Amino acid sequence: MEGDFELMGKIKKLNIFENYFFLLFLFCIFRFKIFAASHLFGFLIVLALFVPLYFSYVRTCFFNKTEIRYFSIYASIALFSWYFSKNLSKNNIFYYLLFYTLPIFYYSTVQGFLKKINLQQILYIFDLAISFFKIYLLVEVVYRYYTSYIAMISEGLISSFYNFKGNSFYSDTNFLALVIQNFALVCFFLYKKFNDKKYFRNYVQLMFFALLTLSRSVVLTQIMLLLFDFYYSKFKKGQFAKFFLLTMIFSVSIILVFFLLQKDASFRSKIVIFDGLKKINDFNFENQLFGFGFGNGEFIYSYRKGDYGHLHIALLLGQEGIIGVVMFVIFLFFSLVSSKGATLRLVVAFFISGFSLAFFDTSFYLCLGIVTSITKKMVSENSSSYCISHKIITRS
């Protein structure tokens, strides 16, 4: 974490758009279990603060036409879904619209703010927010391990392990690991783009905190992504002998890992959840298409009645139906096209880790928006040669 406190000491006045982006970032990373929806309410607070400025002079350029068109389609489908799902969760229409449209709404809002900020300023704010995040993670991990140690003395190792998973500032350590992974992957993206070792250090430091959560899914996801990077680099360099050798090793490794995980009860339960998807034939056409609503649909497609669905597809089918699944996949595809493929690591990690815990979180949409915006800035500002370090980040 060298240099973080030095960076924090350089905080100077940010302009209005930088303040909005920084505030949105802080609401996203600072979570509290007693108020789990703080990041979502923070998003609404930022939007409420932004309304006067929006109507004064930026309303014509904040969202592009594609984003407005897609949001309108998504909102229309949300209204149909709210009506045809019979709203079994008794959610009001605003709640339903917010959750249904949140991916494209949040993603587009982030890009709207970043349109008004140049690339160096975006990197400055990102570095600043990551510094705060690492300090927050340090406090969290000390608190979690200390309280777990106290519990282990009084309750024993097995019981204290479950306390360890739950004694987080976040809802649990698996959820925390997924949030960390998103921001770590943005750091990795910046390292690959700018070849600046500072971003690789940030990636390693964040993954160290992820390891301390004992989340197996995040560890496995990162190993697979790093192996694929190494594996693909051999193909690009024309080292075909190494490429085919690595293909064999990678294939055998995947098979061995799969058979080893077959002995793990938690892993088996995630596979069995796919059996719950067969229940779709038991429901009427409206619920197949539009789901059962938020707060109720999460439990529809579990393999055991009353259990949480866990998998992305199980949750989406239960909440929003087939149409909701299609719209979310289109959203992910939209992010890939908008970013010229730069968000691929985030999307792949989203799916791999989602086999353990579905993760429709604002940190995912924030990171997609940041990567997309930086990619666009690099093209428009011809900034591919940027290499930003702590020493040269200054403010005028």
Side-chain angles (χ1 to χ4, degrees):
M1 296 176 67
E2 181 181 355
D4 290 341
F5 291 99
E6 178 187 350
L7 177 61
M8 289 176 61
K10 295 181 179 179
I11 299 175
K12 294 184 179 180
K13 187 176 181 180
L14 303 175
N15 70 35
I16 187 69
F17 286 99
E18 293 168 344
N19 272 308
Y20 282 130
F21 174 53
F22 187 51
L23 189 59
L24 192 64
F25 210 130
L26 292 182
F27 275 122
C28 192
I29 61 179
F30 292 144
R31 310 288 183 92
F32 305 94
K33 184 182 293 187
I34 57 174
F35 188 24
S38 59
H39 60 110
L40 187 55
F41 278 91
F43 173 57
L44 298 177
I45 290 170
V46 171
L47 289 182
L49 293 172
F50 179 67
V51 166
L53 181 65
Y54 178 77
F55 281 104
S56 62
Y57 67 92
V58 300
R59 62 181 180 277
T60 58
C61 60
F62 191 72
F63 298 119
N64 63 42
K65 291 181 180 179
T66 303
E67 291 167 342
I68 293 172
R69 189 180 300 116
Y70 186 72
F71 177 81
S72 300
I73 293 171
Y74 221 128
S76 300
I77 293 174
L79 293 174
F80 278 105
S81 182
W82 178 79
Y83 178 78
F84 285 111
S85 68
K86 299 182 172 50
N87 193 25
L88 298 179
S89 304
K90 305 301 180 185
N91 301 138
N92 64 53
I93 190 64
F94 173 77
Y95 180 94
Y96 212 94
L97 274 170
L98 175 63
F99 275 87
Y100 211 105
T101 61
L102 185 62
I104 187 65
F105 193 25
Y106 200 106
Y107 174 73
S108 300
T109 299
V110 171
Q111 291 188 79
F113 288 141
L114 297 186
K115 283 178 186 176
K116 300 293 183 178
I117 308 174
N118 67 41
L119 179 57
Q120 186 164 338
Q121 290 169 317
I122 293 172
L123 295 174
Y124 170 81
I125 296 169
F126 179 81
D127 290 349
L128 188 60
I130 290 298
S131 297
F132 277 108
F133 189 35
K134 288 188 289 186
I135 293 169
Y136 188 64
L137 290 174
L138 181 61
V139 175
E140 189 276 342
V141 78
V142 169
Y143 168 80
R144 176 159 37 92
Y145 273 83
Y146 175 74
T147 54
S148 300
Y149 173 72
I150 298 299
M152 184 179 69
I153 294 175
S154 59
E155 301 174 15
L157 182 60
I158 301 299
S159 297
S160 63
F161 176 77
Y162 293 100
N163 286 327
F164 171 85
K165 301 292 281 186
N167 283 346
S168 172
F169 294 168
Y170 286 62
S171 56
D172 62 43
T173 55
N174 290 327
F175 188 86
L176 169 60
L178 292 171
V179 174
I180 295 172
Q181 176 175 250
N182 283 332
F183 293 109
L185 287 174
V186 178
C187 292
F188 193 80
F189 160 78
L190 294 174
Y191 166 67
K192 299 288 279 189
K193 284 294 181 185
F194 302 127
N195 195 29
D196 190 332
K197 292 182 180 179
K198 170 191 66 179
Y199 293 116
F200 187 73
R201 288 197 300 271
N202 282 338
Y203 169 77
V204 171
Q205 289 164 0
L206 288 175
M207 288 314 303
F208 174 72
F209 283 115
L211 283 172
L212 293 177
T213 67
L214 306 184
S215 171
R216 293 167 296 177
S217 64
V218 165
V219 171
L220 181 62
T221 299
Q222 291 304 306
I223 290 173
M224 291 179 69
L225 289 174
L226 291 172
L227 280 175
F228 180 79
D229 271 346
F230 177 74
Y231 174 73
Y232 182 64
S233 69
K234 300 302 178 186
F235 180 78
K236 283 185 68 177
K237 292 176 182 177
Q239 300 173 345
F240 297 113
K242 290 183 178 180
F243 173 78
F244 286 115
L245 177 62
L246 286 168
T247 299
M248 296 298 296
I249 294 172
F250 189 69
S251 301
V252 172
S253 299
I254 290 294
I255 294 170
L256 288 174
V257 168
F258 180 80
F259 279 112
L260 286 172
L261 288 175
Q262 285 288 310
K263 299 179 181 179
D264 183 82
S266 178
F267 176 78
R268 289 200 309 272
S269 69
K270 306 303 184 298
I271 297 299
V272 175
I273 286 176
F274 278 104
D275 290 336
L277 301 181
K278 298 175 183 176
K279 294 178 183 177
I280 193 169
N281 296 318
D282 299 336
F283 305 120
N284 61 47
F285 184 66
E286 290 88 348
N287 288 125
Q288 288 177 353
L289 279 183
F290 298 104
F292 293 82
F294 299 92
N296 189 68
E298 295 90 325
F299 306 95
I300 298 297
Y301 290 106
S302 178
Y303 71 102
R304 194 163 52 196
K305 187 174 182 180
D307 280 5
Y308 190 72
H310 271 284
L311 298 178
H312 288 118
I313 189 169
L315 264 64
L316 277 174
L317 272 178
Q319 293 172 334
E320 304 176 11
I322 295 171
I323 290 180
V325 173
V326 172
M327 293 303 294
F328 192 79
V329 170
I330 291 174
F331 161 69
L332 295 178
F333 182 74
F334 175 68
S335 80
L336 287 169
V337 172
S338 298
S339 68
K340 303 184 185 304
T343 57
L344 182 61
R345 280 192 188 86
L346 281 162
V347 172
V348 170
F350 171 84
F351 280 113
I352 296 174
S353 298
F355 277 96
S356 176
L357 177 64
F359 191 63
F360 303 102
D361 185 72
T362 55
S363 66
F364 179 58
Y365 311 134
L366 175 63
C367 290
L368 288 177
I370 291 172
V371 170
T372 301
S373 295
I374 288 175
T375 303
K376 291 178 178 178
K377 293 283 183 183
M378 290 178 68
V379 173
S380 63
E381 299 179 14
N382 193 23
S383 307
S384 58
S385 62
Y386 273 16
C387 183
I388 311 298
S389 68
H390 286 304
K391 293 182 180 179
I392 67 171
I393 291 179
T394 57
R395 306 289 299 173
S396 56

